[in-house]
Amino acid sequence: MDTLLSDLTVPLPEKNALELSSLFPEAQEYWLEIGFGGGEHLAHQAALYPHAGIIGCEPYINGMAHLLGRVRDQKLHNIRVYNDDARLLIDKLPEHSISKVFILYPDPWPKVRHHKRRLVSQSTLDMLARIMKPGAELRLATDDADYCTWMLERLQSHPAFEWQAKTCEDWLNPWSDWIPTRYEEKALAGRPTYLTYKRV
């Protein structure tokens, strides 16, 4: 497993932007999942869309181990990983290089004094806007009502993103290529929200 982790880990260049084509020589587009948890969704997407090179960011070693097991068992060849703060990776990605970004059930940091730690922030959205292609899709999910409001406030006021919802069903139901995760099964006791934004 250590060898597989070493093979899949994205090395960050010191000065230049990361060359995504060197990570995924056969990929037609590049995606990013920030905080993949146990890796169920990431592995599912990689299997469904073999043409996409997907980078998954996850700082917790247990989640990384679960994903590596899925990569090995399913023989997935279009996944690379980064085991640290996703913003360090995003800073090294080329402009307008990413076609899809997933932020699924990020830590809501419910205490007010911890809100500054929330991943979805003005600065993170600015960073994502730089790396996402025009027309690229940003998918977010949360089961925390306060964090949902927080996300909407920041995304609705950001000029680079446009909400794609037309009816309430669009944020109450998951995407057609969604796979339930262990975390979501716990979250279903509440009311998960699924948000889709386009980079404009």
Side-chain angles (χ1 to χ4, degrees):
M1 200 67 78
D2 288 343
T3 300
L4 183 58
L5 177 59
S6 177
D7 291 343
L8 298 184
T9 294
V10 176
L12 295 190
E14 290 186 9
K15 297 181 179 179
N16 301 324
L18 187 64
E19 292 187 15
L20 292 173
S21 60
S22 66
L23 298 177
F24 306 102
E26 299 180 3
Q28 298 173 27
E29 57 183 309
Y30 310 109
W31 299 359
L32 175 67
E33 181 164 345
I34 303 174
F36 57 73
E40 300 104 315
H41 176 267
L42 178 52
H44 177 69
Q45 292 289 320
L48 274 182
Y49 304 104
H51 72 283
I54 310 176
I55 300 176
C57 300
E58 177 57 61
Y60 297 108
I61 193 64
N62 286 344
M64 191 66 67
H66 283 301
L67 174 67
L68 293 178
R70 298 177 198 281
V71 169
R72 178 196 59 206
D73 296 343
Q74 299 179 44
K75 297 180 172 57
L76 300 172
H77 302 289
N78 55 332
I79 288 177
R80 298 294 181 270
V81 297
Y82 185 68
N83 187 216
D84 205 336
D85 187 331
R87 286 163 290 203
L88 299 175
L89 171 73
I90 293 170
D91 192 49
K92 292 295 183 178
L93 291 174
E95 290 186 7
H96 307 279
S97 60
I98 302 298
S99 299
K100 192 173 289 188
V101 176
F102 306 95
I103 302 177
L104 308 175
Y105 297 106
D107 192 329
W109 293 105
K111 295 181 180 179
V112 173
R113 68 176 182 272
H114 293 155
H115 281 183
K116 62 181 178 293
R117 299 185 183 182
R118 287 177 166 177
L119 175 63
V120 179
S121 65
Q122 179 71 38
S123 61
T124 301
L125 293 176
D126 289 344
M127 295 175 76
L128 291 178
R130 184 189 69 82
I131 66 167
M132 293 174 70
K133 291 182 174 182
E137 188 173 83
L138 172 61
R139 293 183 179 182
L140 309 99
T142 183
D143 63 324
D144 186 280
D146 178 66
Y147 201 4
C148 180
T149 300
W150 171 283
M151 290 178 174
L152 287 168
E153 287 174 348
R154 280 143 189 82
L155 281 156
Q156 291 298 96
S157 64
H158 200 292
F161 296 99
E162 183 179 81
W163 197 13
Q164 299 301 290
K166 304 301 180 186
T167 71
C168 64
E169 296 300 314
D170 294 329
W171 69 80
L172 295 178
N173 295 317
W175 302 274
S176 60
D177 57 1
W178 178 257
I179 182 174
T181 65
R182 287 180 299 169
Y183 184 89
E184 187 188 34
E185 289 173 0
K186 297 177 182 177
L188 287 175
R191 177 173 286 182
T193 304
Y194 309 91
L195 306 176
T196 305
Y197 281 81
K198 180 182 288 186
R199 171 70 169 92
V200 295

